[in-house]
Amino acid sequence: MTDNTETPSPMTDGASQTGFASEAQAKGANTVQALRPTIDDAKAAGREALGTAKEIAGDAWKTARSYAKNASGMAGEKLGTLKTRASDLQATASRRIADEPLKAVAIGAAAGALLAALVLRRKGGPRS
């Protein structure tokens, strides 16, 4: 066995003289032509996948936005219900106080005394 010590330029010249270069060039061109439909198919598949991903993202955004609107609407309804209930309780309390003012003062004094006792006990004030 002998080592081939030719540089690329003399090797190319030798290949050109024997016809290998033109054969390799033809095979390369054929390979490129054979791969072109596969490359085009891959590009089309990529575009389709991108379109599908955009569609899915759009649907997810619409769904999330719908849920947020529903939650906001429900919170607003609950707040309205609570305001109405508080207003009703205030009206009931005002009516009962007007009907029985002495009883209301006695209940208020008792509640105040109980609250004061709890606060003093928690703070470690005078013990009985």
Side-chain angles (χ1 to χ4, degrees):
M1 281 183 117
T2 61
D3 288 335
N4 188 357
T5 57
E6 292 183 8
T7 61
S9 182
M11 286 177 70
T12 304
D13 291 340
S16 295
Q17 291 172 357
T18 60
F20 288 135
S22 60
E23 184 179 334
Q25 185 178 15
K27 287 189 180 197
N30 289 341
T31 303
V32 169
Q33 287 297 84
L35 288 175
R36 192 168 308 271
T38 304
I39 292 170
D40 291 341
D41 288 346
K43 285 180 182 178
R47 282 191 294 272
E48 185 178 336
L50 179 61
T52 301
K54 284 181 179 179
E55 189 176 309
I56 290 170
D59 288 347
W61 172 253
K62 286 177 188 174
T63 301
R65 201 164 112 196
S66 176
Y67 282 142
K69 279 185 177 181
N70 288 341
S72 175
M74 290 175 68
E77 287 176 18
K78 293 287 184 186
L79 183 59
T81 301
L82 288 174
K83 283 182 178 180
T84 301
R85 193 165 178 192
S87 178
D88 291 345
L89 288 173
Q90 182 181 7
T92 301
S94 295
R95 190 176 61 250
R96 287 190 178 172
I97 290 171
D99 289 346
E100 301 182 57
L102 292 178
K103 187 175 179 181
V105 169
I107 291 173
L114 179 62
L115 183 61
L118 291 173
V119 168
L120 287 175
R121 183 171 183 191
R122 180 156 176 96
K123 286 187 176 184
R127 296 178 193 237
S128 19

